[in-house]
Amino acid sequence: MKHNADTKKTNTSDAPIVTDGSGLMQNPVPPDDQTPSWSERKSRSTGLAQLTYEYFERARLEDQDLRSRADYLEREVLGFPFWPHEVVRGFAITSFFIGIILFLSAVAPPHIAAPANPSQTPAVILPDWYLYWSFGLLKLEPLNPALSILDGDKLMLDRTFGVLANLVVVGFLAILPFINTGKARRPVEEPFWAAFGVAGVVLAFTLSLLSVKNLVPLNSHLLFDLTFILPVLFGIVFFSLLKTMREGYMYELNRRYYRLRPPKPLNK
Amino acid sequence: MTPNLKEQYDYSKWLSEKELTPIEKTYLTVLIWADKRLRIVDYLESMENLYYKINMQMPRSHTEQYNLDNKFWYWYPLYALGTFSVIAYLVAAISGGLLGFYYSPATAGDPSVAYNQITYIMTDLNFGFMLRSIHRWSAQVMVAAVFLHMLRVYFVGAYKEPRELNWIIGIILISLTLMFGYTGYLLPWDQLSFWAGQIGVEMALSIPILGEWVAQLMFGGFSLGQATLQRMYILHVFVLPFAVTTVIAIHIGIVWMQGIAEPH
């Protein structure tokens, strides 16, 4: 204690006053004596906490290693200053976008239908446009399999089948990153997945058409078939297109990549 | 305390001695006033530390990897779609808050109170027609922007490692946005609303085992009525705004940590 008081006295005489918020100026006992350092906390911990510390240490080491090996951290960053460039640009884009919304509101205001009447079913029942695809998925009853083992009965109601189709679509989208685990980012690098995406978009449109089938001037069976044939067709066309383009693109990409990171010479 | 120190802590004297512009003086006065009560300075400093800690963000850059520093400006509109959804969300929130002053979710009467209130907003209320139009269009634009945002993320492969989690959060957000649209669609309680609600109840009832429970929870019964409208209203103006705002904050926070997956 006495020793502490002594050092405190010498500190006040010549050491500069600390203003970093650590409280050294008022506190006779420096907080360093009480606050355990990171390694102390790590050594004291046991079980899961210790495992966490150990993992953090490794992860930080890896990060540090990546940073020290990367050349780009030292480069001159190409960018505009926040003020005025980025602020003015952001303000301009935001105003333009809100302007579009106001313009649409002024030009095409929504109207209101007749009041709700439970005893009178309207000829056309529709959700908003962005749910047409989901509404179309409710009309897939020809796809609901009739099983001979159940004497030609269906395993589930058509309505259940439609709801299930919705869940399948959304669920599939959710697990997409775990299905396509490739590193490629450009559509040309992975023609299959790009074509798959195009087919998905076309399917969303054709399902929307199917959902309003009583408004579409087409035979309803033909429309149902087209709903599934068109996406596949578009997928195949895009797949072949991208596959053709791929050669040239990959050549250019590889050339740039290897110019940036030359391959290590083989030692044998 | 020594008089010397007392003098040192006399901030008003310090302020008067310094030569400050009015802006600087006002700023310092407010800062000192707030710091005396809230320890503002310490918290500002920790936020500043957070900002300058590069290890809070991922250490790789795709732009660098593909040497594209100045070549992606023409992709900019596609990379602003997330921002556009947020802006449309804010416009919808403001216009919706104003509409909420005049709307009441009641099915009593013929036509219902809800329908009458919408009619009132559209015909009698000053600027009401435009207000409803703005709310409606900002919602439409938000849904469109969210869909296009998802397509952009898909086609540039931005959902891949390390962004799987944010993709899933995005799927949750797009579902919540669609629920926002659906609940809002039911609020005017006109023919379209009613029969869209009818489809909703039937969809809920067709779920095996849980169906009746879901229908009770979401629609307040197996046939549409006051309980349905009330629930749609509470979902639309209370539950979903909190949920969606929180999830958007998490979504954008993760984008900040991981950096934008630049085009290449």
Side-chain angles (χ1 to χ4, degrees), chain A residues 67 72 75 97 105 108 113-114 116-117 120 126 128-130 135 160 173 180 182-186 190 193 260, chain B residues 55 59 62 64-65 84 115 133 137 140 154 156-157 159-161 167 181 185 189-191 199 206 261 264:
Chain A
R67 283 196 195 93
Y72 56 81
R75 72 182 166 174
F97 188 67
S105 318
N117 183 358
Q120 181 211 338
L126 273 183
D128 245 351
W129 58 269
Y130 45 78
F135 199 41
T160 315
L173 278 178
N180 178 10
K183 289 279 179 199
R185 311 286 301 281
R186 288 185 177 181
E190 279 186 341
W193 285 101
L260 215 74
Chain B
N55 54 325
H62 297 279
E64 176 58 34
Q65 190 178 344
F84 283 170
Y115 188 87
S133 187
W137 271 108
Q140 309 273 319
Y154 178 85
V156 303
Y159 59 87
K160 292 176 181 174
E161 192 206 336
W167 170 264
Y185 193 68
W189 212 241
D190 58 5
Q191 274 289 69
I199 291 170
S206 70
H264 56 74

Side-chain angles (χ1 to χ4, degrees), chain A residues 17 19-21 25-26 60 63 66-67 70-73 75-76 78 86 89 93-94 96-98 100-122 124-131 133-135 138 157 159-160 162-163 166 170 172-178 180-187 189-190 192-198 201 253 256-257 259-261, chain B residues 5 8-9 42 45 54-71 76 80 83-85 87-88 91 110-112 115 118-119 122 129-130 132-141 143-145 147 150-151 154-161 163-165 167-168 171 175 177-178 180-182 185 188-192 194-196 199 202-208 261-264:
Chain A
I17 297 171
T19 53
D20 64 351
M25 218 166 72
Q26 283 86 20
R60 280 180 183 171
D63 266 20
L66 274 173
R67 283 196 195 93
D71 46 355
Y72 56 81
L73 281 180
R75 72 182 166 174
E76 296 276 308
L78 276 179
E86 293 290 347
R89 184 175 72 165
I93 290 170
T94 308
F96 178 69
F97 188 67
I98 293 178
I100 290 175
I101 294 178
L102 295 183
F103 175 76
L104 285 171
S105 318
V107 168
H111 292 272
I112 191 166
N117 183 358
S119 56
Q120 181 211 338
T121 311
V124 180
I125 302 177
L126 273 183
D128 245 351
W129 58 269
Y130 45 78
L131 284 173
W133 61 272
S134 165
F135 199 41
L138 296 180
L157 293 172
R159 287 196 315 208
T160 315
V163 174
N166 274 281
V170 176
F172 178 78
L173 278 178
I175 59 169
L176 197 64
F178 305 102
N180 178 10
T181 50
K183 289 279 179 199
R185 311 286 301 281
R186 288 185 177 181
E189 290 176 280
E190 279 186 341
F192 171 77
W193 285 101
F196 183 82
V198 170
V201 174
L253 199 66
R256 268 213 303 251
Y257 183 82
R259 198 191 293 150
L260 215 74
R261 290 158 197 233
Chain B
L5 273 179
Q8 200 180 332
Y9 298 145
D42 285 348
E45 193 184 335
I54 50 164
N55 54 325
M56 303 296 280
Q57 296 180 28
M58 306 301 285
R60 279 183 191 281
S61 157
H62 297 279
T63 317
E64 176 58 34
Q65 190 178 344
Y66 288 89
N67 196 20
L68 290 163
D69 285 345
N70 49 9
K71 290 185 191 158
Y76 189 81
T83 311
F84 283 170
S85 345
I87 294 172
V91 173
D110 186 32
S112 60
Y115 188 87
I118 300 285
T119 318
M122 289 174 71
F129 196 64
M130 184 64 178
R132 175 164 185 254
S133 187
I134 290 172
H135 189 66
R136 166 98 175 179
W137 271 108
S138 56
Q140 309 273 319
V141 164
V143 175
F147 268 117
M150 185 178 87
L151 288 183
Y154 178 85
F155 282 111
V156 303
Y159 59 87
K160 292 176 181 174
E161 192 206 336
R163 299 186 173 79
E164 302 99 325
L165 192 63
W167 170 264
I168 293 175
I171 297 292
S175 313
T177 309
L178 294 183
F180 237 133
Y182 180 76
Y185 193 68
W189 212 241
D190 58 5
Q191 274 289 69
L192 284 173
F194 186 87
W195 292 96
I199 291 170
E202 281 171 23
M203 277 177 77
L205 282 175
S206 70
I207 300 170
E262 297 104 334
H264 56 74

